[in-house]
Amino acid sequence: MDTVRTVVTGMGVVSPLGCDLEQYWHAVLSGESGVGLLTRFDTDGITSKIAAEVKDFDPLAFVDKKDARRMDLSEQYAIGASQLAIDHSGLDLTAIDPNRAGVIIGSGIGGITTFEKQHQTLLESGPGRVSPFFIPMMIIDMCAGMVAMRFGFRGPNYGTVSACASSSHAVLDAFRAIQRGEADIMITGGAEATITPTSYAGFCSARALSTRNDEPHRASRPFDKDRDGFVIGEGSAILILESLESAKKRGATIYAEIIGGGMTCDAYHMTAPLPDGDGARMAMHNAIKDGGLTPDDIEYINSHGTATLLGDPAETKAIKAIFGERAYKIPVNSTKSMIGHLLGAAGAIELITAILSLGAGRLHPTVNLDNPDPECDLDYVAHTARDYNFDVFLSNSFGFGGHNVSILGRRYNG
């Protein structure tokens, strides 16, 4: 079977640095931080008091008030980012076959905002006061379901759940659906809204979050020896994937081509990566092989780069293991240094960032990298953006449970 080429024709973000693609890209390129003191709830008794919150999202710009009340915040984010991606793609929804268009959207935790509110209602007012919309508002697949209903897409549709690799799995599944000829157009990516008291307390109890509360904008410090955990973020990132034939037929702007992906599992620990990064190495290896390339072809890596004590050295070791001495010549940056960790939406927004870098010939900085960890000695594009023309890139995502995903993309060359 001939392989169907798959291209990216639209992107949309709801992020801690804005809900407009240009605004987001300008902020990231400028090294701005979307991290600040947490405002959603009282942080008394919680060790970490910082987060990368979405600040300027208005759900009523995308849905009416009645529908918004029946959606979890994560679903509102997914609807918003999907609409922005559709608009960016220039798709004429009246001119496509809805049976050849699908939706796959990942989320690590899903409707936990709704879960907490409805549980409180149960405790305070009894079971009869729990909303009849509680279950559909909470379950993770409903982001994909509601987006499909919004746009009338009747092709492949489901949610992916693999912690912080969720949206990268979603993108790869959408890529495979087009490759297999099951769809011509896919809405894909991730959505997450987990800045809630219980969720936050759980991450704090696991000692996963930074406690640099006096300097929120300096708290996310990937690859720095003074890092003390990640900063939790939120939002949604959506891509429009199309078969090359579909994109060319309608004269779409093509922003990049997805050519491969790799998925592995550490099978090692609930939260810690393999110390030698071998699962991550295999994911990158498999992505490169899947795309028919060699390690020598890779020119840029958007890292998972969470600023955790174990994760950053493991990813660095994985990169060195696959690229050898050439690893020191490949720029590797971390978008999380500015927007925090969007958990189930992280992979998609970082893939979008890599594609924006490809188009602009510019790499955003890894901010707060003031004192590099001796174990993390690659070129992380510290402090300032860099002009850099490249054609082939990897985007890495790794999640609790040992999930590893690497996506291989390149400049579309006809």
Side-chain angles (χ1 to χ4, degrees):
M1 183 178 69
D2 292 335
T3 299
V4 177
R5 294 176 67 181
T6 303
V7 295
V8 178
T9 58
M11 298 171 281
V13 299
V14 171
S15 84
L17 285 175
C19 303
D20 173 88
L21 196 65
E22 275 194 36
Q23 176 188 349
Y24 167 77
W25 175 237
H26 175 76
V28 167
L29 205 57
S30 301
E32 295 180 25
S33 176
V35 181
L37 290 173
L38 199 155
T39 66
R40 297 280 172 82
F41 51 84
D42 190 345
T43 58
D44 284 351
I46 299 178
T47 55
S48 179
K49 303 178 186 297
I50 53 181
E53 298 172 321
V54 171
K55 305 171 186 69
D56 58 356
F57 176 75
D58 178 10
L60 301 185
F62 304 100
V63 297
D64 63 33
K65 187 177 293 187
K66 180 181 178 181
D67 287 339
R69 286 198 301 266
R70 296 175 176 179
M71 293 181 186
D72 183 77
L73 184 58
S74 62
E75 294 159 359
Q76 293 176 6
Y77 287 164
I79 289 282
S82 296
Q83 183 66 66
L84 293 169
I86 289 283
D87 293 345
H88 187 236
S89 75
L91 268 174
D92 178 358
L93 298 180
T94 67
I96 66 173
D97 180 353
N99 298 306
R100 299 285 302 167
V103 185
I104 303 175
I105 295 176
S107 184
I109 299 177
I112 193 168
T113 302
T114 295
F115 187 94
E116 288 191 26
K117 288 180 179 178
Q118 292 302 311
H119 184 249
Q120 191 67 29
T121 297
L122 172 68
L123 296 178
E124 293 177 353
S125 304
R129 301 302 297 173
V130 172
S131 170
F133 296 99
F134 168 45
I135 299 302
M137 289 172 69
M138 177 193 70
I139 52 180
I140 289 174
D141 69 296
M142 200 55 68
C143 285
M146 286 188 169
V147 168
M149 286 182 270
R150 168 67 175 246
F151 300 109
F153 283 18
R154 299 176 64 183
N157 183 280
Y158 55 91
T160 53
V161 185
S162 52
C164 307
S166 297
S167 59
S168 290
H169 273 124
V171 171
L172 280 190
D173 279 7
F175 167 63
R176 301 295 186 211
I178 293 174
Q179 272 194 325
R180 290 191 299 263
E182 296 176 1
D184 301 318
I185 302 167
M186 294 294 295
I187 296 175
T188 187
E192 202 78 270
T194 60
I195 302 178
T196 69
T198 304
S199 174
Y200 206 83
F203 278 115
C204 285
S205 293
R207 299 182 181 179
L209 302 184
S210 171
T211 57
R212 193 182 286 259
N213 299 318
D214 55 339
E215 294 182 301
H217 65 288
R218 293 172 57 79
S220 185
R221 312 180 66 82
F223 308 110
D224 189 90
K225 72 182 179 76
D226 297 321
R227 68 192 183 279
D228 67 336
F230 69 84
V231 172
I232 196 168
E234 63 174 351
S236 179
I238 297 293
L239 301 94
I240 307 301
L241 302 190
E242 284 189 67
S243 69
L244 179 58
E245 180 181 358
S246 171
K248 290 174 71 173
K249 182 177 180 180
R250 68 181 187 88
T253 299
I254 295 174
Y255 298 98
E257 182 175 5
I258 306 300
I259 60 172
M263 300 180 282
T264 66
C265 181
D266 288 348
Y268 170 70
H269 190 273
M270 290 173 64
T271 58
L274 280 166
D276 63 0
D278 196 56
R281 179 194 66 81
M282 279 300 299
M284 288 186 279
H285 168 84
N286 292 348
I288 294 167
K289 182 179 178 181
D290 186 47
L293 303 183
T294 72
D296 287 342
D297 295 311
I298 306 305
E299 298 169 286
Y300 160 61
I301 300 171
N302 187 293
S303 73
H304 186 56
T306 56
T308 57
L309 294 177
L310 300 178
D312 291 1
E315 185 170 11
T316 299
K317 290 174 184 175
I319 292 169
K320 290 180 181 178
I322 194 166
F323 295 104
E325 284 301 313
R326 191 170 167 272
Y328 293 96
K329 299 178 180 179
I330 301 173
V332 178
N333 57 6
S334 171
T335 310
K336 293 182 181 73
S337 64
M338 291 168 284
I339 63 171
H341 194 341
L342 271 60
L343 306 177
I349 200 165
E350 289 157 15
L351 176 60
I352 286 173
T353 305
I355 292 169
L356 293 171
S357 301
L358 180 75
R362 296 270 285 168
L363 301 180
H364 73 68
T366 299
V367 302
N368 302 323
L369 184 49
D370 301 325
N371 302 297
D373 185 333
E375 288 191 84
C376 302
D377 57 349
L378 301 178
D379 175 5
Y380 303 111
V381 196
H383 302 304
T384 57
R386 180 186 304 172
D387 290 334
Y388 184 68
N389 290 310
F390 64 98
D391 294 308
V392 182
F393 66 88
L394 288 172
S395 181
N396 289 337
S397 298
F398 314 127
F400 283 0
H403 313 295
N404 306 299
V405 181
S406 190
I407 297 174
L408 178 67
R410 72 180 176 195
R411 187 184 305 279
Y412 170 66
N413 57 10

